[in-house]
Amino acid sequence: MTTSSETKKLVAVTGASTGIGAATARELAHRGFHVLAGVRRDRDADTIRAAGVEPVILDITEPEHVEALAERITADPRPLHALINNAGIQVNGPVESLPMDRWRWVFEVNLFGHVAITQALLPALLASKGRVINISSIGGKVAMATYGAYAGAKFALEAVSDSLRREVEPLGVHVIVVEPGGVRTEIANRGVATANDLAAGMTAEQEGRYGDMVRATNALMATGTEAGVSAEVAARVLAKVVTARKPRTRYAIGKPAAVITRLTRVLSDRTLDRVLAANLRRQQPAAAVPAHSG
């Protein structure tokens, strides 16, 4: 799979400590790229370091980290072929009860951090006519109950991607959105744990309004993760996006993502509401499902 041209190219991957980011870094190194793998801790750097994978300490919300990566790339004679904006967090809770500091942090990591690193690396990508690959989610197409903050940031990332594509594709830079469905990664498991912790902080009134919904959503999230594709399968899709001569503007990872993306195009909002509500009721205990007469 390795070609002589690919061994002369860099790829930067954010959020490469675990999951999709780590698997993608290894897959691209196997294909001959030199991968700058963004990790937040020294122990994660030690874990991922390998032939073709160079770990860099990178918190995308820290300007000095972003600047250091840009300087590292500028000093390298090899062109930057792609930036993969993969770093992210998952924080779920009802709009009413999710604290504002959590809202801001979700957008800081899942949107503004990506914008910051894209701004910093665009000069190198324009010079190489490379590509920006933004990892969105099916949450960037449909916002389920309790997904307001997470989906809000992903919807915004999709919009930014569209705008950026229309700005830089005439200059030779491809902008691609990748929308994973269920993927068996630590971020999903951490998302469930965080959602449960946040639910414990709801007031009694909020618990009465949203408690069953939150528990059902968390169960659905856990089930979707367990049934999802592996990080390695997702990495192979991303490698295809990196190497495609004429990449599409969007790619889905996993059958659920492809199906839900299609449904959002053909169903009305009310119909989609009913589909999602029915799916959620399957996760609720029988006692929590209202009885219907007649």
Side-chain angles (χ1 to χ4, degrees):
M1 287 186 220
T2 301
T3 69
S4 59
S5 62
E6 287 172 351
T7 60
K8 300 176 183 177
K9 295 178 180 179
L10 302 175
V11 175
V13 181
T14 69
S17 297
T18 60
I20 293 175
T24 299
R26 296 186 181 103
E27 179 68 23
L28 292 175
H30 176 67
R31 292 174 183 243
F33 291 96
H34 185 83
V35 181
L36 300 172
V39 298
R40 295 181 62 199
R41 297 167 296 194
D42 289 335
R43 66 174 179 268
D44 296 326
D46 294 337
T47 300
I48 199 170
R49 185 179 285 108
V53 179
E54 176 188 338
V56 293
I57 298 300
L58 178 64
D59 181 335
I60 63 173
T61 68
E62 294 289 344
E64 61 271 23
H65 289 190
V66 174
E67 182 180 354
L69 177 60
E71 291 174 352
R72 163 69 186 82
I73 289 168
T74 300
D76 198 303
R78 293 168 291 191
L80 178 64
H81 177 68
L83 163 64
I84 302 178
N85 282 315
N86 171 71
I89 57 172
Q90 185 158 355
V91 176
N92 288 27
V95 171
E96 180 187 355
S97 64
L98 188 65
M100 284 307 304
D101 63 332
R102 295 299 186 110
W103 279 90
R104 293 188 177 97
W105 186 238
V106 170
F107 274 77
E108 191 66 38
V109 177
N110 289 359
L111 178 64
F112 301 135
H114 298 321
V115 173
I117 201 159
T118 300
Q119 287 182 336
L121 301 191
L122 258 179
L125 291 166
L126 287 163
S128 67
K129 297 190 184 302
R131 57 195 64 186
V132 178
I133 301 167
N134 288 330
I135 309 302
S136 180
S137 164
I138 56 173
K141 290 296 186 185
V142 58
M144 293 181 10
T146 79
Y147 276 70
Y150 180 80
K154 292 298 186 181
F155 267 68
L157 181 63
E158 299 248 356
V160 169
S161 300
D162 286 342
S163 184
L164 179 64
R165 185 182 70 251
R166 290 159 186 155
E167 294 164 0
V168 300
E169 283 210 344
L171 305 175
V173 175
H174 292 291
V175 179
I176 305 105
V177 173
V178 178
E179 297 158 342
V183 181
R184 298 191 299 273
T185 64
E186 288 186 20
I187 185 174
N189 294 329
R190 288 195 298 265
V192 173
T194 299
N196 286 330
D197 289 343
L198 289 169
M202 291 193 297
T203 65
E205 292 80 6
Q206 291 167 349
E207 164 65 29
R209 286 192 282 271
Y210 309 117
D212 288 337
M213 176 187 293
V214 168
R215 284 184 285 275
T217 303
N218 290 348
L220 186 62
M221 193 191 321
T223 300
T225 299
E226 292 170 4
V229 302
S230 68
E232 288 71 26
V233 168
R236 288 194 288 273
V237 174
L238 279 165
K240 178 181 178 181
V241 177
V242 169
T243 57
R245 190 171 66 87
K246 292 183 178 180
R248 304 197 304 266
T249 59
R250 279 174 170 79
Y251 291 76
I253 295 180
K255 185 176 179 181
V259 170
I260 290 174
T261 297
R262 292 191 190 100
L263 287 177
T264 62
R265 296 176 187 148
V266 299
L267 298 182
S268 69
D269 288 344
R270 295 299 187 190
T271 301
L272 189 57
D273 286 350
R274 289 192 291 271
V275 170
L276 294 175
N279 199 30
L280 203 58
R281 281 196 296 272
R282 297 189 186 100
Q283 302 296 326
Q284 294 176 334
V289 180
H292 297 277
S293 61

